[in-house]
Amino acid sequence: DQQVKQNSPSLSVQEGRISILNCDYTNSMFDYFLWYKKYPAEGPTFLISISSIKDKNEDGRFTVFLNKSAKHLSLHIVPSQPGDSAVYFCAASPARASGGYQKVTFGTGTKLQVIP
Amino acid sequence: ETGVTQSPTHLIKTRGQQVTLRCSSQSGHNTVSWYQQALGQGPQFIFQYYREEENGRGNFPPRFSGLQFPNYSSELNVNALELDDSALYLCASSPGVLVLRETQYFGPGTRLLVL
């Protein structure tokens, strides 16, 4: 049961253009969403997050949009740079901790290649 | 550089064997979580420890167990290895008891191959 879905396993974008990575979720208890970036031979690193009370969060070249009614979020990277080439994971977490911890559920990832 | 290290980087075992993977968290981080990332999948939560006690577990059988030590190191033990246990195992540390979602710091992982 994949509660967080990234339907595009890969994406290629020209340097300087916009990269749009999409993510869908099914669990209506999720209220906090994160994007992680992963380079080969490294662990995921946190990129940007958004709470369900917002529909947009921006951090430099990275913007995350949330459409709660559609259970859909997207990550926009503008402009894309070759160093952005990595695997991007969408992740989600419920509002309240259960048993003292807040479980983060990850999607399957999208491999972004930015072509110089 | 997250300050979280894992050893070994790679490991090959045969079915039925036991394995111990190690993680060294950032100093002061009392929470450690372990994830399994199978090929082509995202990380899946195995369990979490806070101050040497397990306080959360995902859908993994009891043959997956862990330990956390006062010196900010931890272990993941897997008994009776199965072929499907082949994966990248990630540990992530964070300061508090409730994992503030964005403050998990991941190590580079241990890639386990079970033959």
Side-chain angles (χ1 to χ4, degrees):
Chain A
D1 176 25
Q2 192 68 33
Q3 297 185 53
V4 179
K5 301 177 185 178
Q6 293 176 258
N7 292 319
S8 298
S10 63
L11 176 67
S12 287
V13 171
Q14 289 285 337
E15 180 179 4
R17 306 294 289 267
I18 184 171
S19 295
I20 300 176
L21 294 88
N22 293 304
C23 177
D24 298 292
Y25 62 96
T26 57
N27 190 338
S28 57
M29 298 300 293
F30 289 149
D31 93 316
Y32 200 89
F33 305 90
L34 310 93
W35 286 92
Y36 282 84
K37 177 178 179 179
K38 185 179 185 301
Y39 292 118
E42 294 182 15
T45 55
F46 168 74
L47 190 58
I48 193 169
S49 63
I50 188 166
S51 165
S52 62
I53 62 173
K54 294 185 172 182
D55 55 17
K56 177 182 174 181
N57 188 25
E58 207 168 342
D59 184 1
R61 296 185 296 114
F62 302 91
T63 303
V64 56
F65 294 92
L66 175 63
N67 182 334
K68 277 195 70 178
S69 60
K71 293 191 174 68
H72 176 84
L73 62 155
S74 60
L75 174 68
H76 292 210
I77 306 173
V78 184
S80 302
Q81 299 174 355
D84 297 329
S85 297
V87 176
Y88 289 79
F89 290 102
C90 171
S93 178
R96 301 181 67 174
S98 172
Y101 75 104
Q102 288 168 318
K103 178 182 171 183
V104 178
T105 301
F106 285 80
T108 53
T110 296
K111 185 175 183 178
L112 174 66
Q113 182 184 18
V114 180
I115 303 165
Chain B
E1 183 71 36
T2 63
V4 180
T5 59
Q6 293 185 243
S7 63
T9 54
H10 295 82
L11 198 53
I12 300 175
K13 291 284 190 178
T14 55
R15 194 169 47 182
Q17 285 189 310
Q18 179 266 344
V19 69
T20 297
L21 310 182
R22 293 181 172 82
C23 173
S24 179
S25 302
Q26 285 194 32
S27 179
H29 281 195
N30 295 305
T31 299
V32 65
S33 303
W34 285 89
Y35 292 83
Q36 180 195 67
Q37 186 183 0
L39 199 61
Q41 302 296 314
Q44 287 203 18
F45 176 76
I46 302 175
F47 47 56
Q48 181 182 107
Y49 279 76
Y50 173 70
R51 290 188 171 172
E52 302 158 52
E53 297 282 336
E54 183 181 304
N55 72 338
R57 191 174 186 94
N59 296 327
F60 281 81
R63 60 189 184 84
F64 285 78
S65 63
L67 287 170
Q68 185 185 26
F69 304 101
N71 65 351
Y72 305 110
S73 66
S74 58
E75 294 179 353
L76 164 65
N77 299 290
V78 187
N79 292 322
L81 282 167
E82 300 177 0
L83 299 180
D84 284 350
D85 295 334
S86 296
L88 179 69
Y89 289 85
L90 297 160
C91 75
S93 74
S94 54
V97 59
L98 293 179
V99 175
L100 296 178
R101 281 76 50 113
E102 63 264 46
T103 57
Q104 281 194 97
Y105 298 92
F106 282 85
T110 293
R111 187 161 297 280
L112 172 65
L113 177 62
V114 182
L115 301 175

